[in-house]
Amino acid sequence: MLVTILAMIALVLAISYWLFREAIYGKPANRWQRADANLAIYEERTSAIDENEATLETADEAKRLLLADAADAKRESKNESSKPFIGIVSVVFVSILGMLGYLYWGDPFAASLDTIAQQLQVATQMEAGPKKIAELDTIIDLLERRNRSRRGNSASATYLTHVYFLKGDYDSVVETHRKAEELGRTSLNSDVERIRAEFVLNNGLMNDDIKRISNRIEELDPGNPIVMQTYGLDAWRLRDFLKARYYFERALQHDEEISPASTAILEELIHRTNAQLPAHHIAIVVNVNIASLEFANTWLIVYVRSTNLLQPLALVKRPFARAEQYSLVLDDAVTTANSYSLSEQQKVQVIARLSRSSSLLTEDTIIEVQSRWVDPRDAPDLTLTLDPQKPVLKTFTAVVELADHINMDEGEGEFVYIFGAGIDENDSPLLVKKISVTELPTALMLGTEDFTLPTSEFPDEGLNLFARLSRTGNTTRQTGDSESKSVLVKAGDTVRLVIDQPVSETSEH
């Protein structure tokens, strides 16, 4: 509406300026006209001719021609004087057309969306009751009128769907959204409220409309919490609790549209779903005790890793973490690797983390702890404590394994040493970690607490890390030992060390 008015004002100003210019510069000026020039030529010629008859006749003929030209010039001047009148008529005509078009397409009496948004904000803050319902009805009337006009669009249709949803009129939500679909005026938000209303009206059962609209939402917003919750409730109704867990947990991993209220609902649904799992279900139960929290909007992230997979094997997240004990279940429902399943692994480790970000690839970790290595098939029950008051240690993860062609005798003297030194070749090792060869393959979380000097800090440039299989059991490099290649590792990295290079007398690391 405002844009239309400004455009009309600009048009009127432009035409008014044109008329002003025409009035100033379009007037007949006191300049040399063609008739004046003809008369001057006539006087000049008649003064120079002889007084004979032929010459006079010639002069009379010249006079007649010059006077005819002067008459023509006066007629041309009279025609030019009608131009301002044509301009005024044009301005009036264009203005009338603009006003008619504005009244037809603009509907100046329809409320603006800004005004409606302000009214809606006030209404949502009101306590439930007749007064709030009356205010919502007023907003509905404004939106209905706007949608019936030429100014109706996707935004006004979305607002109308939302207000009906706030009022609890789910039938009108469905009907309004259906009309918006016919006009191509749907949006992601209106789609979400349509499936919520449909699900309630259909007594918690899926139908073709819910599936169709949910698929459309999934294309635009994968993992949308409302869609995942709807799918999860449907799976619960069908008593497919593993699939229900998958959908509920996936909803909590959506870090953009999840709210504290939705988080509380989903956590309760997950708790009830976990209670329905059979006793023989292969899973790791992790009790995470958060001692304290200093930051708001903190994420609790718990994941599983195995010795043969660097990326997380299974993952759960809890937004808006609280200082309390969480009971989490890690199973095949939350597996992140398509070609791996947790129930098939024999040796895994659980890592719990508090972070200001929901991403695993972040440097905003507040604190992180790891469990012992366990076999998921033994149904282990682990307890991990996260205390942000403790200083954060800079750590990295090293996955150590033997190549297939390296023989492992598993004798008493065989150990594996992991060395970490500065990037300078002359630097002495800052880190030396000794493990039994029987533990391979394994994944180790190493850091400053494993340094030979406890006061040492983790170098910003990183460490040169390598592993050595010692046949004699000591740290001295000898013929017959085997080593991995040296890799550069920095705090927060995960690296793989494959012991595949036999040591000879002439070889150098």
Side-chain angles (χ1 to χ4, degrees), residues 20-44:
F20 172 75
R21 297 276 299 181
E22 181 68 21
I24 296 298
Y25 299 106
K27 293 180 179 181
N30 294 326
R31 56 185 180 182
W32 195 267
Q33 301 291 336
R34 188 173 63 178
D36 297 331
N38 289 341
L39 291 174
I41 294 172
Y42 167 74
E43 292 176 357
E44 181 179 354

mmCIF file with all atom_site columns, all heavy atoms in Angstrom, residues 20-44:
data_model
loop_
_atom_site.group_PDB
_atom_site.id
_atom_site.type_symbol
_atom_site.label_atom_id
_atom_site.label_alt_id
_atom_site.label_comp_id
_atom_site.label_asym_id
_atom_site.label_entity_id
_atom_site.label_seq_id
_atom_site.pdbx_PDB_ins_code
_atom_site.Cartn_x
_atom_site.Cartn_y
_atom_site.Cartn_z
_atom_site.occupancy
_atom_site.B_iso_or_equiv
_atom_site.pdbx_formal_charge
_atom_site.auth_seq_id
_atom_site.auth_comp_id
_atom_site.auth_asym_id
_atom_site.auth_atom_id
_atom_site.pdbx_PDB_model_num
ATOM 1   N N   . PHE A 1 20 ? 5.533  22.560 -15.391 1.00 0.00 ? 20 PHE A N   1
ATOM 2   C CA  . PHE A 1 20 ? 6.216  23.776 -14.982 1.00 0.00 ? 20 PHE A CA  1
ATOM 3   C C   . PHE A 1 20 ? 7.284  24.171 -15.991 1.00 0.00 ? 20 PHE A C   1
ATOM 4   O O   . PHE A 1 20 ? 7.397  25.342 -16.371 1.00 0.00 ? 20 PHE A O   1
ATOM 5   C CB  . PHE A 1 20 ? 6.843  23.546 -13.603 1.00 0.00 ? 20 PHE A CB  1
ATOM 6   C CG  . PHE A 1 20 ? 7.741  24.670 -13.143 1.00 0.00 ? 20 PHE A CG  1
ATOM 7   C CD1 . PHE A 1 20 ? 7.215  25.867 -12.694 1.00 0.00 ? 20 PHE A CD1 1
ATOM 8   C CD2 . PHE A 1 20 ? 9.126  24.527 -13.189 1.00 0.00 ? 20 PHE A CD2 1
ATOM 9   C CE1 . PHE A 1 20 ? 8.046  26.896 -12.286 1.00 0.00 ? 20 PHE A CE1 1
ATOM 10  C CE2 . PHE A 1 20 ? 9.955  25.540 -12.786 1.00 0.00 ? 20 PHE A CE2 1
ATOM 11  C CZ  . PHE A 1 20 ? 9.418  26.747 -12.324 1.00 0.00 ? 20 PHE A CZ  1
ATOM 12  N N   . ARG A 1 21 ? 8.022  23.183 -16.438 1.00 0.00 ? 21 ARG A N   1
ATOM 13  C CA  . ARG A 1 21 ? 9.042  23.478 -17.462 1.00 0.00 ? 21 ARG A CA  1
ATOM 14  C C   . ARG A 1 21 ? 8.400  23.965 -18.757 1.00 0.00 ? 21 ARG A C   1
ATOM 15  O O   . ARG A 1 21 ? 8.913  24.864 -19.418 1.00 0.00 ? 21 ARG A O   1
ATOM 16  C CB  . ARG A 1 21 ? 9.855  22.199 -17.733 1.00 0.00 ? 21 ARG A CB  1
ATOM 17  C CG  . ARG A 1 21 ? 10.641 21.683 -16.544 1.00 0.00 ? 21 ARG A CG  1
ATOM 18  C CD  . ARG A 1 21 ? 11.955 22.355 -16.381 1.00 0.00 ? 21 ARG A CD  1
ATOM 19  N NE  . ARG A 1 21 ? 12.825 22.156 -17.524 1.00 0.00 ? 21 ARG A NE  1
ATOM 20  C CZ  . ARG A 1 21 ? 14.049 22.626 -17.613 1.00 0.00 ? 21 ARG A CZ  1
ATOM 21  N NH1 . ARG A 1 21 ? 14.553 23.345 -16.628 1.00 0.00 ? 21 ARG A NH1 1
ATOM 22  N NH2 . ARG A 1 21 ? 14.792 22.406 -18.676 1.00 0.00 ? 21 ARG A NH2 1
ATOM 23  N N   . GLU A 1 22 ? 7.252  23.391 -19.081 1.00 0.00 ? 22 GLU A N   1
ATOM 24  C CA  . GLU A 1 22 ? 6.577  23.780 -20.308 1.00 0.00 ? 22 GLU A CA  1
ATOM 25  C C   . GLU A 1 22 ? 6.067  25.212 -20.201 1.00 0.00 ? 22 GLU A C   1
ATOM 26  O O   . GLU A 1 22 ? 6.119  25.987 -21.150 1.00 0.00 ? 22 GLU A O   1
ATOM 27  C CB  . GLU A 1 22 ? 5.423  22.811 -20.579 1.00 0.00 ? 22 GLU A CB  1
ATOM 28  C CG  . GLU A 1 22 ? 4.646  23.089 -21.850 1.00 0.00 ? 22 GLU A CG  1
ATOM 29  C CD  . GLU A 1 22 ? 5.478  22.837 -23.102 1.00 0.00 ? 22 GLU A CD  1
ATOM 30  O OE1 . GLU A 1 22 ? 6.485  22.093 -22.997 1.00 0.00 ? 22 GLU A OE1 1
ATOM 31  O OE2 . GLU A 1 22 ? 5.138  23.385 -24.156 1.00 0.00 ? 22 GLU A OE2 1
ATOM 32  N N   . ALA A 1 23 ? 5.591  25.551 -18.993 1.00 0.00 ? 23 ALA A N   1
ATOM 33  C CA  . ALA A 1 23 ? 5.068  26.905 -18.800 1.00 0.00 ? 23 ALA A CA  1
ATOM 34  C C   . ALA A 1 23 ? 6.170  27.951 -18.868 1.00 0.00 ? 23 ALA A C   1
ATOM 35  O O   . ALA A 1 23 ? 5.958  29.070 -19.334 1.00 0.00 ? 23 ALA A O   1
ATOM 36  C CB  . ALA A 1 23 ? 4.342  26.985 -17.458 1.00 0.00 ? 23 ALA A CB  1
ATOM 37  N N   . ILE A 1 24 ? 7.350  27.602 -18.369 1.00 0.00 ? 24 ILE A N   1
ATOM 38  C CA  . ILE A 1 24 ? 8.450  28.566 -18.344 1.00 0.00 ? 24 ILE A CA  1
ATOM 39  C C   . ILE A 1 24 ? 9.122  28.685 -19.703 1.00 0.00 ? 24 ILE A C   1
ATOM 40  O O   . ILE A 1 24 ? 9.328  29.796 -20.242 1.00 0.00 ? 24 ILE A O   1
ATOM 41  C CB  . ILE A 1 24 ? 9.480  28.177 -17.276 1.00 0.00 ? 24 ILE A CB  1
ATOM 42  C CG1 . ILE A 1 24 ? 8.844  28.242 -15.879 1.00 0.00 ? 24 ILE A CG1 1
ATOM 43  C CG2 . ILE A 1 24 ? 10.713 29.069 -17.353 1.00 0.00 ? 24 ILE A CG2 1
ATOM 44  C CD1 . ILE A 1 24 ? 8.379  29.611 -15.486 1.00 0.00 ? 24 ILE A CD1 1
ATOM 45  N N   . TYR A 1 25 ? 9.428  27.540 -20.317 1.00 0.00 ? 25 TYR A N   1
ATOM 46  C CA  . TYR A 1 25 ? 10.213 27.564 -21.542 1.00 0.00 ? 25 TYR A CA  1
ATOM 47  C C   . TYR A 1 25 ? 9.375  27.389 -22.793 1.00 0.00 ? 25 TYR A C   1
ATOM 48  O O   . TYR A 1 25 ? 9.877  27.496 -23.896 1.00 0.00 ? 25 TYR A O   1
ATOM 49  C CB  . TYR A 1 25 ? 11.279 26.463 -21.494 1.00 0.00 ? 25 TYR A CB  1
ATOM 50  C CG  . TYR A 1 25 ? 12.238 26.634 -20.351 1.00 0.00 ? 25 TYR A CG  1
ATOM 51  C CD1 . TYR A 1 25 ? 12.165 25.790 -19.224 1.00 0.00 ? 25 TYR A CD1 1
ATOM 52  C CD2 . TYR A 1 25 ? 13.199 27.633 -20.352 1.00 0.00 ? 25 TYR A CD2 1
ATOM 53  C CE1 . TYR A 1 25 ? 13.018 25.951 -18.158 1.00 0.00 ? 25 TYR A CE1 1
ATOM 54  C CE2 . TYR A 1 25 ? 14.067 27.792 -19.274 1.00 0.00 ? 25 TYR A CE2 1
ATOM 55  C CZ  . TYR A 1 25 ? 13.977 26.960 -18.189 1.00 0.00 ? 25 TYR A CZ  1
ATOM 56  O OH  . TYR A 1 25 ? 14.831 27.110 -17.146 1.00 0.00 ? 25 TYR A OH  1
ATOM 57  N N   . GLY A 1 26 ? 8.105  27.085 -22.631 1.00 0.00 ? 26 GLY A N   1
ATOM 58  C CA  . GLY A 1 26 ? 7.264  26.898 -23.813 1.00 0.00 ? 26 GLY A CA  1
ATOM 59  C C   . GLY A 1 26 ? 6.591  28.162 -24.283 1.00 0.00 ? 26 GLY A C   1
ATOM 60  O O   . GLY A 1 26 ? 5.878  28.155 -25.276 1.00 0.00 ? 26 GLY A O   1
ATOM 61  N N   . LYS A 1 27 ? 6.727  29.315 -23.547 1.00 0.00 ? 27 LYS A N   1
ATOM 62  C CA  . LYS A 1 27 ? 6.106  30.568 -23.958 1.00 0.00 ? 27 LYS A CA  1
ATOM 63  C C   . LYS A 1 27 ? 6.785  31.119 -25.206 1.00 0.00 ? 27 LYS A C   1
ATOM 64  O O   . LYS A 1 27 ? 7.988  30.959 -25.387 1.00 0.00 ? 27 LYS A O   1
ATOM 65  C CB  . LYS A 1 27 ? 6.226  31.596 -22.832 1.00 0.00 ? 27 LYS A CB  1
ATOM 66  C CG  . LYS A 1 27 ? 5.406  31.238 -21.599 1.00 0.00 ? 27 LYS A CG  1
ATOM 67  C CD  . LYS A 1 27 ? 5.581  32.301 -20.532 1.00 0.00 ? 27 LYS A CD  1
ATOM 68  C CE  . LYS A 1 27 ? 4.756  31.977 -19.312 1.00 0.00 ? 27 LYS A CE  1
ATOM 69  N NZ  . LYS A 1 27 ? 4.909  33.027 -18.258 1.00 0.00 ? 27 LYS A NZ  1
ATOM 70  N N   . PRO A 1 28 ? 6.015  31.846 -26.035 1.00 0.00 ? 28 PRO A N   1
ATOM 71  C CA  . PRO A 1 28 ? 6.631  32.505 -27.203 1.00 0.00 ? 28 PRO A CA  1
ATOM 72  C C   . PRO A 1 28 ? 7.634  33.545 -26.731 1.00 0.00 ? 28 PRO A C   1
ATOM 73  O O   . PRO A 1 28 ? 7.296  34.430 -25.962 1.00 0.00 ? 28 PRO A O   1
ATOM 74  C CB  . PRO A 1 28 ? 5.447  33.142 -27.926 1.00 0.00 ? 28 PRO A CB  1
ATOM 75  C CG  . PRO A 1 28 ? 4.259  32.380 -27.454 1.00 0.00 ? 28 PRO A CG  1
ATOM 76  C CD  . PRO A 1 28 ? 4.531  31.993 -26.058 1.00 0.00 ? 28 PRO A CD  1
ATOM 77  N N   . ALA A 1 29 ? 8.839  33.443 -27.148 1.00 0.00 ? 29 ALA A N   1
ATOM 78  C CA  . ALA A 1 29 ? 9.901  34.355 -26.703 1.00 0.00 ? 29 ALA A CA  1
ATOM 79  C C   . ALA A 1 29 ? 10.058 35.502 -27.692 1.00 0.00 ? 29 ALA A C   1
ATOM 80  O O   . ALA A 1 29 ? 9.654  35.413 -28.844 1.00 0.00 ? 29 ALA A O   1
ATOM 81  C CB  . ALA A 1 29 ? 11.211 33.583 -26.569 1.00 0.00 ? 29 ALA A CB  1
ATOM 82  N N   . ASN A 1 30 ? 10.617 36.575 -27.218 1.00 0.00 ? 30 ASN A N   1
ATOM 83  C CA  . ASN A 1 30 ? 10.921 37.717 -28.079 1.00 0.00 ? 30 ASN A CA  1
ATOM 84  C C   . ASN A 1 30 ? 12.178 37.437 -28.874 1.00 0.00 ? 30 ASN A C   1
ATOM 85  O O   . ASN A 1 30 ? 13.248 37.958 -28.626 1.00 0.00 ? 30 ASN A O   1
ATOM 86  C CB  . ASN A 1 30 ? 11.104 38.978 -27.232 1.00 0.00 ? 30 ASN A CB  1
ATOM 87  C CG  . ASN A 1 30 ? 9.805  39.378 -26.553 1.00 0.00 ? 30 ASN A CG  1
ATOM 88  O OD1 . ASN A 1 30 ? 8.735  39.189 -27.121 1.00 0.00 ? 30 ASN A OD1 1
ATOM 89  N ND2 . ASN A 1 30 ? 9.919  39.938 -25.345 1.00 0.00 ? 30 ASN A ND2 1
ATOM 90  N N   . ARG A 1 31 ? 12.033 36.532 -29.799 1.00 0.00 ? 31 ARG A N   1
ATOM 91  C CA  . ARG A 1 31 ? 13.172 36.150 -30.615 1.00 0.00 ? 31 ARG A CA  1
ATOM 92  C C   . ARG A 1 31 ? 12.854 36.412 -32.087 1.00 0.00 ? 31 ARG A C   1
ATOM 93  O O   . ARG A 1 31 ? 11.732 36.762 -32.451 1.00 0.00 ? 31 ARG A O   1
ATOM 94  C CB  . ARG A 1 31 ? 13.497 34.671 -30.384 1.00 0.00 ? 31 ARG A CB  1
ATOM 95  C CG  . ARG A 1 31 ? 12.337 33.742 -30.642 1.00 0.00 ? 31 ARG A CG  1
ATOM 96  C CD  . ARG A 1 31 ? 12.679 32.322 -30.288 1.00 0.00 ? 31 ARG A CD  1
ATOM 97  N NE  . ARG A 1 31 ? 11.541 31.453 -30.545 1.00 0.00 ? 31 ARG A NE  1
ATOM 98  C CZ  . ARG A 1 31 ? 11.543 30.148 -30.297 1.00 0.00 ? 31 ARG A CZ  1
ATOM 99  N NH1 . ARG A 1 31 ? 12.632 29.581 -29.792 1.00 0.00 ? 31 ARG A NH1 1
ATOM 100 N NH2 . ARG A 1 31 ? 10.480 29.410 -30.561 1.00 0.00 ? 31 ARG A NH2 1
ATOM 101 N N   . TRP A 1 32 ? 13.819 36.248 -32.935 1.00 0.00 ? 32 TRP A N   1
ATOM 102 C CA  . TRP A 1 32 ? 13.706 36.525 -34.363 1.00 0.00 ? 32 TRP A CA  1
ATOM 103 C C   . TRP A 1 32 ? 12.813 35.480 -35.013 1.00 0.00 ? 32 TRP A C   1
ATOM 104 O O   . TRP A 1 32 ? 13.169 34.323 -35.081 1.00 0.00 ? 32 TRP A O   1
ATOM 105 C CB  . TRP A 1 32 ? 15.101 36.510 -35.001 1.00 0.00 ? 32 TRP A CB  1
ATOM 106 C CG  . TRP A 1 32 ? 15.135 37.135 -36.388 1.00 0.00 ? 32 TRP A CG  1
ATOM 107 C CD1 . TRP A 1 32 ? 15.005 36.489 -37.546 1.00 0.00 ? 32 TRP A CD1 1
ATOM 108 C CD2 . TRP A 1 32 ? 15.308 38.499 -36.701 1.00 0.00 ? 32 TRP A CD2 1
ATOM 109 N NE1 . TRP A 1 32 ? 15.067 37.355 -38.614 1.00 0.00 ? 32 TRP A NE1 1
ATOM 110 C CE2 . TRP A 1 32 ? 15.265 38.624 -38.108 1.00 0.00 ? 32 TRP A CE2 1
ATOM 111 C CE3 . TRP A 1 32 ? 15.479 39.658 -35.922 1.00 0.00 ? 32 TRP A CE3 1
ATOM 112 C CZ2 . TRP A 1 32 ? 15.401 39.841 -38.764 1.00 0.00 ? 32 TRP A CZ2 1
ATOM 113 C CZ3 . TRP A 1 32 ? 15.619 40.856 -36.597 1.00 0.00 ? 32 TRP A CZ3 1
ATOM 114 C CH2 . TRP A 1 32 ? 15.570 40.943 -38.007 1.00 0.00 ? 32 TRP A CH2 1
ATOM 115 N N   . GLN A 1 33 ? 11.580 35.968 -35.482 1.00 0.00 ? 33 GLN A N   1
ATOM 116 C CA  . GLN A 1 33 ? 10.639 35.079 -36.141 1.00 0.00 ? 33 GLN A CA  1
ATOM 117 C C   . GLN A 1 33 ? 10.850 35.113 -37.649 1.00 0.00 ? 33 GLN A C   1
ATOM 118 O O   . GLN A 1 33 ? 11.460 36.037 -38.189 1.00 0.00 ? 33 GLN A O   1
ATOM 119 C CB  . GLN A 1 33 ? 9.190  35.513 -35.822 1.00 0.00 ? 33 GLN A CB  1
ATOM 120 C CG  . GLN A 1 33 ? 8.864  35.508 -34.323 1.00 0.00 ? 33 GLN A CG  1
ATOM 121 C CD  . GLN A 1 33 ? 8.809  34.111 -33.773 1.00 0.00 ? 33 GLN A CD  1
ATOM 122 O OE1 . GLN A 1 33 ? 8.569  33.175 -34.527 1.00 0.00 ? 33 GLN A OE1 1
ATOM 123 N NE2 . GLN A 1 33 ? 9.047  33.989 -32.463 1.00 0.00 ? 33 GLN A NE2 1
ATOM 124 N N   . ARG A 1 34 ? 10.313 34.097 -38.336 1.00 0.00 ? 34 ARG A N   1
ATOM 125 C CA  . ARG A 1 34 ? 10.478 34.012 -39.794 1.00 0.00 ? 34 ARG A CA  1
ATOM 126 C C   . ARG A 1 34 ? 9.805  35.196 -40.497 1.00 0.00 ? 34 ARG A C   1
ATOM 127 O O   . ARG A 1 34 ? 10.319 35.718 -41.492 1.00 0.00 ? 34 ARG A O   1
ATOM 128 C CB  . ARG A 1 34 ? 9.886  32.695 -40.303 1.00 0.00 ? 34 ARG A CB  1
ATOM 129 C CG  . ARG A 1 34 ? 10.197 32.438 -41.770 1.00 0.00 ? 34 ARG A CG  1
ATOM 130 C CD  . ARG A 1 34 ? 9.763  31.067 -42.190 1.00 0.00 ? 34 ARG A CD  1
ATOM 131 N NE  . ARG A 1 34 ? 8.333  30.911 -42.071 1.00 0.00 ? 34 ARG A NE  1
ATOM 132 C CZ  . ARG A 1 34 ? 7.674  29.802 -42.417 1.00 0.00 ? 34 ARG A CZ  1
ATOM 133 N NH1 . ARG A 1 34 ? 8.344  28.764 -42.870 1.00 0.00 ? 34 ARG A NH1 1
ATOM 134 N NH2 . ARG A 1 34 ? 6.372  29.728 -42.282 1.00 0.00 ? 34 ARG A NH2 1
ATOM 135 N N   . ALA A 1 35 ? 8.648  35.614 -39.971 1.00 0.00 ? 35 ALA A N   1
ATOM 136 C CA  . ALA A 1 35 ? 7.959  36.770 -40.617 1.00 0.00 ? 35 ALA A CA  1
ATOM 137 C C   . ALA A 1 35 ? 8.784  38.035 -40.503 1.00 0.00 ? 35 ALA A C   1
ATOM 138 O O   . ALA A 1 35 ? 8.871  38.835 -41.443 1.00 0.00 ? 35 ALA A O   1
ATOM 139 C CB  . ALA A 1 35 ? 6.587  36.961 -39.968 1.00 0.00 ? 35 ALA A CB  1
ATOM 140 N N   . ASP A 1 36 ? 9.425  38.238 -39.330 1.00 0.00 ? 36 ASP A N   1
ATOM 141 C CA  . ASP A 1 36 ? 10.281 39.424 -39.169 1.00 0.00 ? 36 ASP A CA  1
ATOM 142 C C   . ASP A 1 36 ? 11.432 39.389 -40.150 1.00 0.00 ? 36 ASP A C   1
ATOM 143 O O   . ASP A 1 36 ? 11.830 40.412 -40.721 1.00 0.00 ? 36 ASP A O   1
ATOM 144 C CB  . ASP A 1 36 ? 10.809 39.471 -37.741 1.00 0.00 ? 36 ASP A CB  1
ATOM 145 C CG  . ASP A 1 36 ? 9.667  39.616 -36.738 1.00 0.00 ? 36 ASP A CG  1
ATOM 146 O OD1 . ASP A 1 36 ? 8.628  40.201 -37.111 1.00 0.00 ? 36 ASP A OD1 1
ATOM 147 O OD2 . ASP A 1 36 ? 9.816  39.134 -35.595 1.00 0.00 ? 36 ASP A OD2 1
ATOM 148 N N   . ALA A 1 37 ? 11.987 38.220 -40.363 1.00 0.00 ? 37 ALA A N   1
ATOM 149 C CA  . ALA A 1 37 ? 13.100 38.114 -41.304 1.00 0.00 ? 37 ALA A CA  1
ATOM 150 C C   . ALA A 1 37 ? 12.649 38.421 -42.726 1.00 0.00 ? 37 ALA A C   1
ATOM 151 O O   . ALA A 1 37 ? 13.337 39.107 -43.482 1.00 0.00 ? 37 ALA A O   1
ATOM 152 C CB  . ALA A 1 37 ? 13.693 36.708 -41.231 1.00 0.00 ? 37 ALA A CB  1
ATOM 153 N N   . ASN A 1 38 ? 11.479 37.935 -43.100 1.00 0.00 ? 38 ASN A N   1
ATOM 154 C CA  . ASN A 1 38 ? 10.969 38.201 -44.461 1.00 0.00 ? 38 ASN A CA  1
ATOM 155 C C   . ASN A 1 38 ? 10.727 39.688 -44.679 1.00 0.00 ? 38 ASN A C   1
ATOM 156 O O   . ASN A 1 38 ? 11.031 40.249 -45.745 1.00 0.00 ? 38 ASN A O   1
ATOM 157 C CB  . ASN A 1 38 ? 9.679  37.421 -44.693 1.00 0.00 ? 38 ASN A CB  1
ATOM 158 C CG  . ASN A 1 38 ? 9.954  35.915 -44.815 1.00 0.00 ? 38 ASN A CG  1
ATOM 159 O OD1 . ASN A 1 38 ? 11.090 35.515 -45.078 1.00 0.00 ? 38 ASN A OD1 1
ATOM 160 N ND2 . ASN A 1 38 ? 8.930  35.095 -44.606 1.00 0.00 ? 38 ASN A ND2 1
ATOM 161 N N   . LEU A 1 39 ? 10.174 40.348 -43.663 1.00 0.00 ? 39 LEU A N   1
ATOM 162 C CA  . LEU A 1 39 ? 9.927  41.792 -43.816 1.00 0.00 ? 39 LEU A CA  1
ATOM 163 C C   . LEU A 1 39 ? 11.232 42.567 -43.935 1.00 0.00 ? 39 LEU A C   1
ATOM 164 O O   . LEU A 1 39 ? 11.328 43.546 -44.703 1.00 0.00 ? 39 LEU A O   1
ATOM 165 C CB  . LEU A 1 39 ? 9.129  42.295 -42.622 1.00 0.00 ? 39 LEU A CB  1
ATOM 166 C CG  . LEU A 1 39 ? 7.664  41.798 -42.536 1.00 0.00 ? 39 LEU A CG  1
ATOM 167 C CD1 . LEU A 1 39 ? 7.029  42.247 -41.233 1.00 0.00 ? 39 LEU A CD1 1
ATOM 168 C CD2 . LEU A 1 39 ? 6.864  42.309 -43.728 1.00 0.00 ? 39 LEU A CD2 1
ATOM 169 N N   . ALA A 1 40 ? 12.241 42.145 -43.190 1.00 0.00 ? 40 ALA A N   1
ATOM 170 C CA  . ALA A 1 40 ? 13.536 42.852 -43.281 1.00 0.00 ? 40 ALA A CA  1
ATOM 171 C C   . ALA A 1 40 ? 14.152 42.677 -44.660 1.00 0.00 ? 40 ALA A C   1
ATOM 172 O O   . ALA A 1 40 ? 14.706 43.627 -45.241 1.00 0.00 ? 40 ALA A O   1
ATOM 173 C CB  . ALA A 1 40 ? 14.473 42.308 -42.210 1.00 0.00 ? 40 ALA A CB  1
ATOM 174 N N   . ILE A 1 41 ? 14.037 41.470 -45.205 1.00 0.00 ? 41 ILE A N   1
ATOM 175 C CA  . ILE A 1 41 ? 14.571 41.224 -46.556 1.00 0.00 ? 41 ILE A CA  1
ATOM 176 C C   . ILE A 1 41 ? 13.809 42.057 -47.575 1.00 0.00 ? 41 ILE A C   1
ATOM 177 O O   . ILE A 1 41 ? 14.385 42.629 -48.521 1.00 0.00 ? 41 ILE A O   1
ATOM 178 C CB  . ILE A 1 41 ? 14.477 39.729 -46.886 1.00 0.00 ? 41 ILE A CB  1
ATOM 179 C CG1 . ILE A 1 41 ? 15.419 38.936 -45.938 1.00 0.00 ? 41 ILE A CG1 1
ATOM 180 C CG2 . ILE A 1 41 ? 14.838 39.455 -48.330 1.00 0.00 ? 41 ILE A CG2 1
ATOM 181 C CD1 . ILE A 1 41 ? 15.252 37.442 -46.051 1.00 0.00 ? 41 ILE A CD1 1
ATOM 182 N N   . TYR A 1 42 ? 12.485 42.152 -47.358 1.00 0.00 ? 42 TYR A N   1
ATOM 183 C CA  . TYR A 1 42 ? 11.651 42.923 -48.299 1.00 0.00 ? 42 TYR A CA  1
ATOM 184 C C   . TYR A 1 42 ? 12.068 44.398 -48.325 1.00 0.00 ? 42 TYR A C   1
ATOM 185 O O   . TYR A 1 42 ? 12.238 45.007 -49.381 1.00 0.00 ? 42 TYR A O   1
ATOM 186 C CB  . TYR A 1 42 ? 10.182 42.781 -47.894 1.00 0.00 ? 42 TYR A CB  1
ATOM 187 C CG  . TYR A 1 42 ? 9.274  43.765 -48.588 1.00 0.00 ? 42 TYR A CG  1
ATOM 188 C CD1 . TYR A 1 42 ? 8.954  43.597 -49.941 1.00 0.00 ? 42 TYR A CD1 1
ATOM 189 C CD2 . TYR A 1 42 ? 8.754  44.863 -47.904 1.00 0.00 ? 42 TYR A CD2 1
ATOM 190 C CE1 . TYR A 1 42 ? 8.117  44.506 -50.582 1.00 0.00 ? 42 TYR A CE1 1
ATOM 191 C CE2 . TYR A 1 42 ? 7.927  45.758 -48.538 1.00 0.00 ? 42 TYR A CE2 1
ATOM 192 C CZ  . TYR A 1 42 ? 7.601  45.572 -49.872 1.00 0.00 ? 42 TYR A CZ  1
ATOM 193 O OH  . TYR A 1 42 ? 6.789  46.483 -50.494 1.00 0.00 ? 42 TYR A OH  1
ATOM 194 N N   . GLU A 1 43 ? 12.244 45.002 -47.148 1.00 0.00 ? 43 GLU A N   1
ATOM 195 C CA  . GLU A 1 43 ? 12.641 46.407 -47.104 1.00 0.00 ? 43 GLU A CA  1
ATOM 196 C C   . GLU A 1 43 ? 13.996 46.619 -47.741 1.00 0.00 ? 43 GLU A C   1
ATOM 197 O O   . GLU A 1 43 ? 14.249 47.618 -48.407 1.00 0.00 ? 43 GLU A O   1
ATOM 198 C CB  . GLU A 1 43 ? 12.668 46.858 -45.645 1.00 0.00 ? 43 GLU A CB  1
ATOM 199 C CG  . GLU A 1 43 ? 11.280 46.920 -45.013 1.00 0.00 ? 43 GLU A CG  1
ATOM 200 C CD  . GLU A 1 43 ? 11.351 47.279 -43.547 1.00 0.00 ? 43 GLU A CD  1
ATOM 201 O OE1 . GLU A 1 43 ? 12.493 47.427 -43.031 1.00 0.00 ? 43 GLU A OE1 1
ATOM 202 O OE2 . GLU A 1 43 ? 10.285 47.418 -42.898 1.00 0.00 ? 43 GLU A OE2 1
ATOM 203 N N   . GLU A 1 44 ? 14.894 45.664 -47.537 1.00 0.00 ? 44 GLU A N   1
ATOM 204 C CA  . GLU A 1 44 ? 16.242 45.814 -48.091 1.00 0.00 ? 44 GLU A CA  1
ATOM 205 C C   . GLU A 1 44 ? 16.206 45.758 -49.616 1.00 0.00 ? 44 GLU A C   1
ATOM 206 O O   . GLU A 1 44 ? 16.906 46.529 -50.297 1.00 0.00 ? 44 GLU A O   1
ATOM 207 C CB  . GLU A 1 44 ? 17.141 44.711 -47.537 1.00 0.00 ? 44 GLU A CB  1
ATOM 208 C CG  . GLU A 1 44 ? 18.575 44.809 -48.048 1.00 0.00 ? 44 GLU A CG  1
ATOM 209 C CD  . GLU A 1 44 ? 19.446 43.720 -47.472 1.00 0.00 ? 44 GLU A CD  1
ATOM 210 O OE1 . GLU A 1 44 ? 18.962 42.956 -46.586 1.00 0.00 ? 44 GLU A OE1 1
ATOM 211 O OE2 . GLU A 1 44 ? 20.608 43.619 -47.881 1.00 0.00 ? 44 GLU A OE2 1
#
